[in-house]
Amino acid sequence: MNQNQNRTFHLIKAFNFFVYGAIAVYSTFFVVYLQSIGMSTLEIGALMAGGPIVSIIANPLWGYLSDRFRNVRLILIVMLIGSMLVMQLVFLYQSYTIIYACMLFFFFFQMPLFSQSNSLILNSIEGTNHKFGAFRLFGSLGWAFIALVAGPVIGQIGIERLWIIYSVMMLISLAFAFTLPKGDAKGAAPAGKVNYRSMFVNRSFLLFLIIGLVISIPNSMNTTFIPLYIKELGGEASLIGWSAFWSSIFEIPVFLLLDRYLKKNTKTMVLCLVVISILFALRWFLMSNADTAQQIIYIQVLHCLTFGGYYYIGTQLAVQLVPAEFRASGQALYALTWGGLSGIAAGFLGGWVFEQMGPQAMYQLCSVMAALGIVGFFLLFARLRREVGTSSKISSHAG
């Protein structure tokens, strides 16, 4: 039994490596491809904002289907096939209208991929000694190395052949998806007997999502426009790949350290998010003052502490604040903030500021929003401390 379980865990890690690698190819180089076929920065921003708009429906819907059918593997397979097929049409045409329409369908399948893969990991390791970070780090490895290798390959074959690399990576991911466990939650409520309204009773969870949205908008701006910023400063495709590599490779020790040392209680994790928000503000300030593409590569190292820490802790908070039977839906709502609603503002606002005032102004705006996140998470931490103090007094009086 242990051998079968270990084999299953190895397959989950391999799947994470390749699926994150496939999305890294798309995320790192697709905006450069769009620019190469004549799209403006504002058009690219509007196009990429379409994904988060669609994800408002897609994330909760796929999360509900995962909870309803108790089969995350099936949902992942459907999403992989759908996103891969639709993207072929995107690369086939150069009409903005056709590309935009196809991308809406692509985002419907692609946006919830990470939240659902997280649900599969969390459900599969429940009741074992395995930690989430030990699995998620393979996603970072895949993102880092595939983006790094893809850079020089694209430099050789041309950005117009980006579809080849993306399609190969998606096919490999799909092959591993068929080997995954179902990923149903242990001890979950019977399918069809889930009361989703109870998921919103915890106000701390809702406040976390709202404050996290403010932090996530600048991160989404950076993800979308950093390849264009590097290119504007004279960087080649290989440098864009290196940027993705350095932003991901150091997530691995961060995940391992958090697995080992992070105290899994709400107050400690929210306090950690205050520190992460401070680092976010520093990161965006440095980006706004970058003079060369090489400087951006060095600044990207901060990604491991900022996004890596926020992603890990946020995932754990969603686990704690949401009952097991709603886990896929809870992860979907969490993903809706950092990859959904935030991306809408990032696409339209970031695209407009980048085009009208330049990338430096965009990153200055990011710094201000990160500062608001610092205040928000600190207030949430203070609120949680008051709640604990109040409940302690009630308990002592009752005794």
Side-chain angles (χ1 to χ4, degrees):
M1 184 69 179
N2 280 337
Q3 265 191 337
N4 287 336
Q5 191 178 63
N6 286 335
R7 181 176 178 274
T8 297
F9 289 153
H10 288 319
L11 289 169
I12 293 174
K13 291 172 182 177
F15 171 77
N16 250 25
F17 181 91
F18 287 106
V19 78
Y20 274 77
I23 302 304
V25 170
Y26 154 77
S27 179
T28 307
F29 299 102
F30 187 59
V31 292
V32 180
Y33 167 79
L34 293 176
Q35 192 178 60
S36 75
I37 62 173
M39 287 193 189
S40 68
T41 308
L42 192 56
E43 286 176 328
I44 292 171
L47 180 68
M48 302 311 286
I53 292 172
V54 171
S55 77
I56 294 174
I57 299 171
N59 267 305
L61 175 61
W62 289 113
Y64 166 77
L65 291 174
S66 291
D67 291 333
R68 179 72 175 79
F69 294 109
R70 308 268 295 271
N71 192 336
V72 183
R73 176 187 62 202
L74 176 62
I75 299 302
L76 286 170
I77 289 170
V78 172
M79 289 193 294
L80 285 168
I81 292 172
S83 55
M84 181 177 64
L85 292 179
V86 174
M87 186 54 88
Q88 304 311 308
L89 296 175
V90 173
F91 286 116
L92 193 60
Y93 296 98
Q94 293 193 4
S95 161
Y96 183 80
T97 305
I98 295 175
I99 290 176
Y100 199 97
C102 289
M103 286 300 291
L104 293 179
F105 286 100
F106 168 77
F107 288 134
F108 177 76
F109 293 107
Q110 185 267 331
M111 291 299 287
L113 263 175
F114 290 159
S115 64
Q116 294 310 303
S117 65
N118 287 346
S119 295
L120 185 134
I121 294 168
L122 292 164
N123 291 340
S124 298
I125 65 176
E126 189 171 2
T128 73
N129 293 325
H130 293 273
K131 302 289 184 67
F132 173 75
F135 289 80
R136 177 55 181 80
L137 68 84
F138 280 86
S140 298
L141 272 174
W143 189 287
F145 283 103
I146 301 301
L148 181 63
V149 172
V153 172
I154 290 169
Q156 289 295 315
I157 68 175
I159 192 68
E160 67 276 3
R161 291 187 177 88
L162 177 63
W163 69 273
I164 298 174
I165 304 171
Y166 171 79
S167 300
V168 169
M169 293 303 304
M170 287 296 283
L171 285 170
I172 297 172
S173 302
L174 186 59
F176 276 103
F178 280 98
T179 71
L180 297 174
K182 286 176 63 178
D184 54 322
K186 300 172 180 65
K193 296 186 177 180
V194 173
N195 178 14
Y196 285 89
R197 283 178 297 178
S198 65
M199 196 165 50
F200 297 97
V201 170
N202 193 314
R203 291 183 181 178
S204 296
F205 179 60
L206 294 179
L207 285 172
F208 159 66
L209 293 179
I210 293 167
I211 301 164
L213 176 62
V214 177
I215 283 289
S216 300
I217 290 172
N219 191 70
S220 296
M221 286 185 187
N222 180 69
T223 301
T224 302
F225 296 108
I226 191 171
L228 302 184
Y229 191 19
I230 292 172
K231 194 178 174 191
E232 186 171 296
L233 292 175
E236 302 293 332
S238 60
L239 268 183
I240 296 173
W242 275 108
S243 168
F245 176 84
W246 289 120
S247 69
S248 301
I249 195 65
F250 289 115
E251 284 181 353
I252 296 166
V254 169
F255 288 143
L256 291 174
L257 287 170
L258 288 171
D259 266 347
R260 187 174 181 85
Y261 296 110
L262 179 67
K263 292 183 179 179
K264 302 300 195 297
N265 70 73
T266 309
K267 283 195 302 176
T268 300
M269 288 193 279
V270 172
L271 189 59
C272 288
L273 291 179
V274 174
V275 177
I276 287 169
S277 299
I278 294 170
L279 292 174
F280 260 128
L282 172 63
R283 180 183 174 190
W284 306 139
F285 173 77
L286 293 173
M287 288 290 282
S288 70
N289 288 281
D291 296 317
T292 66
Q294 285 77 13
Q295 288 178 3
I296 291 178
I297 308 304
Y298 302 139
I299 297 168
Q300 278 291 86
V301 175
L302 278 172
H303 180 88
C304 68
L305 295 172
T306 51
F307 176 76
Y310 177 73
Y311 182 96
Y312 181 100
I313 294 170
T315 301
Q316 300 296 326
L317 269 175
V319 170
Q320 284 203 348
L321 299 174
V322 176
E325 61 265 31
F326 314 122
R327 186 167 290 153
S329 296
Q331 290 297 317
L333 286 172
Y334 170 53
L336 193 60
T337 59
W338 62 259
L341 297 174
S342 66
I344 298 172
F348 288 112
L349 179 61
W352 183 82
V353 174
F354 192 106
E355 188 165 280
Q356 298 297 319
M357 293 180 269
Q360 290 80 9
M362 185 188 78
Y363 281 107
Q364 287 167 2
L365 175 62
C366 290
S367 296
V368 173
M369 297 190 74
L372 292 175
I374 297 169
V375 175
F377 280 125
F378 184 77
L379 292 174
L380 177 57
F381 174 76
R383 179 179 181 275
L384 290 168
R385 284 191 66 182
R386 286 197 302 273
E387 284 181 355
V388 172
T390 304
S391 62
S392 297
K393 287 178 183 177
I394 292 172
S395 300
S396 62
H397 287 312

